[in-house]
Amino acid sequence: MKRANIVWLTVALVLGVAALAPPVDALADRSFTWHMLQHLVILYGVPALVLLARPFETFAAVAGKAKTARFVHATRPLHVVTSPHVALAVFVATLWLTHFSGLYERSLESAPIHFAEHLVYFTAGAFFWLPVLAPPPLRPCSFPARLLFLTLALPQGALLGMALGSARAPLYPHYVALQGSVSAALRDQHDAAALMWIAGGMIVLAALLLTLGVWARRETIAAAVPPLVLLLLVLALHGAGAAPTAPVAPSYTGDQAVKGQILFYENCAECHGADLAGNFGPALAGGGGNVQWETVSYVWTYMTAHMPAGNAGGLRPDEYLGIMAFLLKVHGHPPGAAPLSSAAAAASKAFMGP
Ligand code: HEC
């Protein structure tokens, strides 16, 4: 067994065990962001290291040449899966299906499903790296094909990050229950999305640059490498700069919210219900209305222009601010030290949330 193979395998094991060990696993159970980190390690890190450890060579060293020849013959169909098409399809399908089906939420509640999910990620990761890192006797594809494959794979993490980051409601009730509030779970979800976007992108970009470097050392395309590297870095930084950051709801004081609650009962409850569940007017909280999907800015602009219906714009600015503070509180945004101002309310792109 070659020394390099042992080193790669050891690093793979250490990384895998660290990612799945109780301290990280406990954090991953409570926080989507930690969970994302754990999954990135299982998806990208561990499979790449296992492939670098040339598992078939080790197998041959342990089992003997004859057995290995038979094994390689039996696994001949495996060559198909080193094709970049298969790799990309398996990889992308796994990412989207695990996050946007019921599977993820169920894996949070059940240990066997969670284990199966990690196995799926490891397998998808192995598929992903095969076109680039296929260990002998399998062969990676040609350098141009590897570069094309990695370039196509590069935006996949960003797309998933974007989808997760732009979701207006928490996708997984498990985290809402554990973190105690919708806004905390939503912030966590945005952080996880940014991690997927940036860290996922950086890993594939690093693979792309390394592949370019290895190729350049073999061929005489070295002259083309520096400008390409520069171009890629600019693209990557551009992507990272645009990564989603959760807009935070504007601050209001507890005092404003208390006054607002009284004003709401006096001016709005008749139509929107004392419990905000709706009456003649639509529900302003809970699942019955649309307000949870609206931004603070929208609700503020709408209610100062059109409400109370029949007396549109009839309240004083500080009265509207109080009601807005009350609505923020009802939607789970905690009060702070600074009072709410009309400018802040009109500018905030934070979602009201359920
Ligand atoms: C006389 C009844 C009535 C009163 C009083 C009233 N509203 Fe409304 N409100 C409505 C109706 C009806 C709608 C739906 C309008 C539409 O869809 O065209 C509405 C819509 C809204 C919306 C938009 C909801 C959405 O889903 O887009 C908000 C926000 C709102 N009202 C806030 C208030 C506030 C705050 C007050 C008190 C200051 C108030 N309303 C008083 C009847 C009322």
Side-chain angles (χ1 to χ4, degrees):
M1 204 167 162
K2 283 191 197 149
R3 169 129 11 110
N5 294 354
I6 300 178
V7 172
W8 286 121
L9 200 62
T10 314
V11 180
L13 277 176
V14 170
L15 195 66
V17 169
L20 297 172
V24 175
D25 209 45
L27 284 169
D29 187 49
R30 250 173 295 139
S31 140
F32 189 12
T33 310
W34 275 97
H35 211 154
M36 185 63 88
L37 187 68
Q38 184 186 50
H39 285 175
L40 285 173
V41 170
I42 298 175
L43 183 68
Y44 288 115
V46 180
L49 291 163
V50 167
L51 292 182
L52 284 170
R54 301 181 169 218
F56 301 119
E57 258 180 23
T58 307
F59 183 85
V62 175
K65 284 244 162 69
K67 257 206 190 130
T68 311
R70 247 177 290 146
F71 179 75
V72 169
H73 185 73
T75 55
R76 180 125 299 175
L78 259 181
H79 285 253
V80 178
V81 306
T82 62
S83 118
H85 311 97
V86 178
L88 204 60
V90 169
F91 184 73
V92 172
T94 305
L95 286 188
W96 289 87
L97 287 178
T98 51
H99 285 93
F100 288 96
S101 66
L103 182 70
Y104 192 94
E105 175 71 16
R106 257 187 272 155
S107 78
L108 291 168
E109 306 294 348
S110 143
I113 297 185
H114 198 188
F115 178 77
E117 187 196 38
H118 286 165
L119 219 58
V120 166
Y121 278 138
F122 176 81
T123 313
F127 267 94
F128 175 75
W129 288 122
L130 270 176
V132 184
L133 297 176
L138 299 180
R139 266 193 310 275
C141 47
S142 72
F143 276 104
R146 277 184 235 183
L147 291 178
L148 182 64
F149 166 70
L150 288 171
T151 310
L152 289 176
L154 191 56
Q156 298 308 324
L159 288 176
L160 180 62
M162 224 143 77
L164 292 172
S166 59
R168 294 169 169 199
L171 289 165
Y172 311 118
H174 173 91
Y175 296 125
V176 179
L178 277 180
Q179 297 176 3
S181 84
V182 167
S183 52
L186 206 54
R187 254 192 302 276
D188 183 28
Q189 184 164 305
H190 284 116
D191 290 347
L195 185 69
M196 169 89 231
W197 184 328
I198 297 169
M202 286 297 161
I203 292 169
V204 180
L205 183 68
L208 191 59
L209 295 179
L210 281 172
T211 306
L212 253 179
V214 173
W215 191 23
R217 272 176 50 191
R218 299 216 178 148
E219 320 271 333
T220 47
I221 59 155
V225 171
L228 265 175
V229 168
L230 203 67
L231 181 72
L232 285 168
L233 274 180
V234 169
L235 283 176
L237 288 178
H238 182 81
T245 41
V248 178
S251 171
Y252 65 89
T253 62
D255 200 38
Q256 279 183 311
V258 171
K259 291 207 178 100
Q261 181 162 20
I262 297 167
L263 287 161
F264 185 88
Y265 289 142
E266 289 171 358
N267 297 288
C268 325
E270 171 197 358
C271 298
H272 292 287
D275 53 359
L276 288 81
N279 191 5
F280 310 119
L284 297 183
N290 293 321
V291 171
Q292 69 202 83
W293 311 115
E294 309 291 2
T295 61
V296 175
S297 157
Y298 167 86
V299 171
W300 171 254
T301 313
Y302 186 91
M303 82 179 199
T304 48
H306 305 294
M307 293 289 134
N311 181 24
L315 305 185
R316 290 196 316 268
D318 65 298
E319 292 178 322
Y320 278 117
L321 283 171
I323 294 175
M324 189 70 229
F326 169 61
L327 288 177
L328 284 170
K329 186 168 180 202
V330 169
H331 284 264
H333 304 283
L340 184 66
S341 69
S342 2
S348 172
K349 294 295 171 204
F351 291 109
M352 294 296 288

